Amino acid sequence: MNRALHLTVVKVGGSLLGGEADLRRAASALAERRRDGGPLLVVASALQGVTDLLDLAAQQAGRREELGRTLAILRRRHLGLARGSAAGEVEEVLGELEELAGSAAGELPDATYARLLSFGERLSVLLLAAAIREAGADALAVASEEAGLRADGPPRNGSCDIPASAEGLERLRRRLDEQVLVLTGFYGVDADGGMVLFGRGGSDNTACAVAAGLGADQLELWKDVPGFMSADPREVRAARLVDEISFDEVAQMGAWGSKIVNHGCLDPLRGRATRIVISSVPEAGPTIGTRLVENLERDAPRVVALASRRNNGSPALLGAVGEGVAGDPAIRERMLDCLSESGIRCDLAARPSGRSGLSCLVHPDDLSAALGGLHDHFFAP
């Protein structure tokens, strides 16, 4: 591989693969990225909603009529998007899925469950690779078992074993000069060839592990949001894009319920020079999003984002995230004063969380008002 050309890993989330228009949009952007030069490896999630359908199929094992309806939905969705040579490949994988699901009954063993859920990504990579070819760039779908992507842990919730995957990743590296490779996210294989899932959102884990194992120059996580926002835009209309955020701040957001980046997925990239960006599918021009940096040097602690989590009628969690805010009494006082002056009912604890967070509990009816007030206070122009 010509190392003068930067190697990029792009993860395409399932929320970006809802239907034909979404698929073509992502494929067009990926083909354009390949034309810009440099090797490109794509990690793909299952189509939007497909993992839930496969989980439902697992629950319906042995109930033929119900299972048949679910499998028919999966068949229509994937064959409806298949084009050219991909149609035959998709048909073949669907046949494997139907055979496995139809032969099971009752509660599935963990190994069988993991294999069943892996079909979402096995199908999506075929569709995305075909769409990239239609968009003008040579692309090949690669399943984790073909790539030698090894995993440790229980079948339902394991992790990628980067050292054990080194040989397979080197084979992938050698092929990247010639074509875009579209790799299945969400799972790897153990030493015996069994499927091991990386948990919901696990395609983030695949992308980060592969980027680390390949020594990628850049990792892009494409989502249905432009990046990390200063607050949940569903709660705060004035929320704005955060330019940079640290790994620890990302971890704190995840601990408080943010699902933008899968919790813990960045760990393999600590100590590496890989540039990491989270964004929506880029339009023409440079990618705009949030840069994820292991360590950020700021002149003083400051709030970079507000986190929130509703708890089914119980008090809602409200958190302020930023390196060093947990130990800054001035920020704690500002947070509590702002809530008090707004008449927000809260526990007034403002408990520290690690180095990067302060949290309190508020009445669920007051959460939107509390977020809006704090956002105005900490992020006023």
Side-chain angles (χ1 to χ4, degrees), residues 86-125:
E89 296 173 305
V90 168
E91 179 71 56
E92 182 178 346
V93 175
L94 283 169
E96 292 179 38
L97 164 61
E98 291 161 351
E99 181 178 358
L100 176 65
S103 64
E107 185 173 349
L108 299 185
D110 287 351
T112 304
Y113 177 86
R115 186 179 168 208
L116 184 67
L117 261 67
S118 74
F119 277 94
E121 280 69 22
R122 289 182 58 196
L123 288 161
S124 70
V125 295

Side-chain angles (χ1 to χ4, degrees), residues 40 44 50 95 150 164 168 207 245 252 258 276 285 287 289 317 320 357:
L40 176 63
V50 162
R150 292 281 296 277
I245 191 167
Q252 186 61 68
S258 171
I276 310 166
T287 301
L317 181 141

Side-chain angles (χ1 to χ4, degrees), residues 273-322:
T274 304
R275 183 176 186 272
I276 310 166
V277 178
I278 178 169
S279 73
S280 54
V281 178
E283 306 296 341
T287 301
I288 298 173
T290 301
R291 187 176 178 213
L292 279 55
V293 181
E294 183 172 359
N295 298 299
L296 281 175
E297 296 294 334
R298 298 195 179 100
D299 294 337
R302 66 179 177 87
V303 176
V304 298
L306 299 173
S308 59
R309 184 178 68 222
R310 296 188 181 274
N311 296 313
N312 296 323
S314 300
L317 181 141
L318 174 61
V321 176

Side-chain angles (χ1 to χ4, degrees), residues 23-207:
L23 189 67
R24 306 308 162 201
R25 180 168 174 253
S28 178
L30 291 165
E32 185 64 31
R33 181 58 52 82
R34 175 61 173 172
R35 284 190 288 270
D36 287 343
L40 176 63
L41 185 140
V42 179
V43 174
S45 298
L47 301 185
Q48 187 174 37
V50 162
T51 302
D52 288 335
L53 284 170
L54 290 168
D55 182 69
L56 178 60
Q59 298 173 43
Q60 294 170 334
R63 304 202 300 268
R64 290 188 175 277
E65 188 173 341
E66 296 174 31
L67 176 62
R69 286 195 292 268
T70 300
L71 292 175
I73 294 170
L74 288 163
R75 173 171 282 275
R76 285 195 301 271
R77 280 203 64 187
H78 291 93
L79 285 179
L81 295 172
R83 297 289 184 275
S85 60
E89 296 173 305
V90 168
E91 179 71 56
E92 182 178 346
V93 175
L94 283 169
E96 292 179 38
L97 164 61
E98 291 161 351
E99 181 178 358
L100 176 65
S103 64
E107 185 173 349
L108 299 185
D110 287 351
T112 304
Y113 177 86
R115 186 179 168 208
L116 184 67
L117 261 67
S118 74
F119 277 94
E121 280 69 22
R122 289 182 58 196
L123 288 161
S124 70
V125 295
L126 295 173
L127 298 173
L128 186 54
I132 294 171
R133 291 193 295 269
E134 276 194 0
D138 190 15
L140 178 69
V142 183
S144 294
E145 54 270 37
E146 299 173 70
L149 192 68
R150 292 281 296 277
D152 280 331
R156 289 178 182 248
N157 191 27
S159 60
C160 186
D161 186 338
I162 298 175
S165 303
E167 184 178 341
L169 291 175
E170 183 56 36
R171 288 196 301 269
L172 291 181
R173 182 197 298 279
R174 290 195 293 266
R175 298 162 69 183
L176 285 170
D177 278 333
E178 305 301 324
Q179 58 192 164
V180 178
L181 297 182
V182 185
L183 177 68
T184 51
F186 185 46
Y187 76 96
V189 292
D190 63 22
D192 298 321
M195 307 297 191
V196 177
L197 306 180
F198 299 153
R200 286 302 183 99
S203 292
D204 284 348
N205 299 64
T206 303

Side-chain angles (χ1 to χ4, degrees), residues 11-19 22 44-49 77 203 222:
K11 182 260 183 173
V12 181
S15 57
L16 301 175
L17 300 174
D22 295 331
S45 298
L47 301 185
Q48 187 174 37
R77 280 203 64 187
S203 292
W222 291 2

